[in-house]
Amino acid sequence: MKIKLICGFKLKQEELFQLEQSYLKRLKNEYRLEIVEVPYTKNQSADEIKSRHPAELLAKSSPSAFKVLLAEDGKSMTTNQLASIVDEKKLTGLNELHFFIGGPYGIAKDAYPLFNLKLNISLMTFTAEFCRLIIIEQIYRLQCISLGVPYHKE
């Protein structure tokens, strides 16, 4: 399975970059992750960025990919529930899973139908950069679950 994380920003914090690299080294075989950064144009208004940026992000995806948008009003679920969805999609022949994180203003709601799943990773607020690290850690957890590695304290 080809997994991509398509981000509407560039990672700037060195500390988060180092943590990200430690997780990327742990991902193997079908859980290898490609990260694509699509920075927004800074001389646009927040509304312009929210409405134009989704097309730029989606241009880095493929039509056949299962597209997961991280959104604060998305569906909350456990890692095991997300793993079940991914396993179900793999059984149907899915070979691409793409996660999307918008820029600092998020994604316009009228673009939501372009994504297969809207996922809320927390009810709390995090920076886009920190969300990026959290979803990479969750992709690592998906790998652990898929490979039957004991999952935290179950």
Side-chain angles (χ1 to χ4, degrees), residues 5-13 16 20 37 40 53 70 100-106 121 124-136:
L5 176 56
I6 302 170
C7 303
F9 57 91
K10 287 189 176 272
L11 186 62
K12 295 177 185 169
Q13 292 184 28
L16 293 179
E20 181 178 281
E37 295 177 334
Y40 59 95
H53 209 208
L70 273 61
F100 294 81
I101 304 174
Y105 307 109
I121 58 172
M124 293 185 273
T125 303
F126 296 108
T127 65
E129 288 185 330
F130 203 72
C131 289
R132 174 172 160 159
L133 180 61
I134 291 169
I135 201 63
I136 291 170

Side-chain angles (χ1 to χ4, degrees), residues 1 3-7 57-58 61-62 65-71 74-75 77 82 85-86 89 94 96-102 107 112 114-121 135 139 142:
M1 177 178 290
I3 302 177
K4 253 188 207 184
L5 176 56
I6 302 170
C7 303
L57 296 172
L58 287 162
S61 186
S62 64
F66 187 77
K67 297 169 185 69
V68 179
L69 174 66
L70 273 61
K75 181 177 181 176
M77 62 179 67
L82 182 58
I85 290 171
V86 172
K89 297 299 176 191
L94 175 81
E96 291 185 74
L97 174 63
H98 296 175
F99 291 91
F100 294 81
I101 304 174
I107 299 285
Y112 280 18
L114 302 172
F115 299 92
N116 304 104
L117 175 65
K118 276 64 68 189
L119 178 65
N120 179 339
I121 58 172
I135 201 63
I139 293 167
L142 294 175

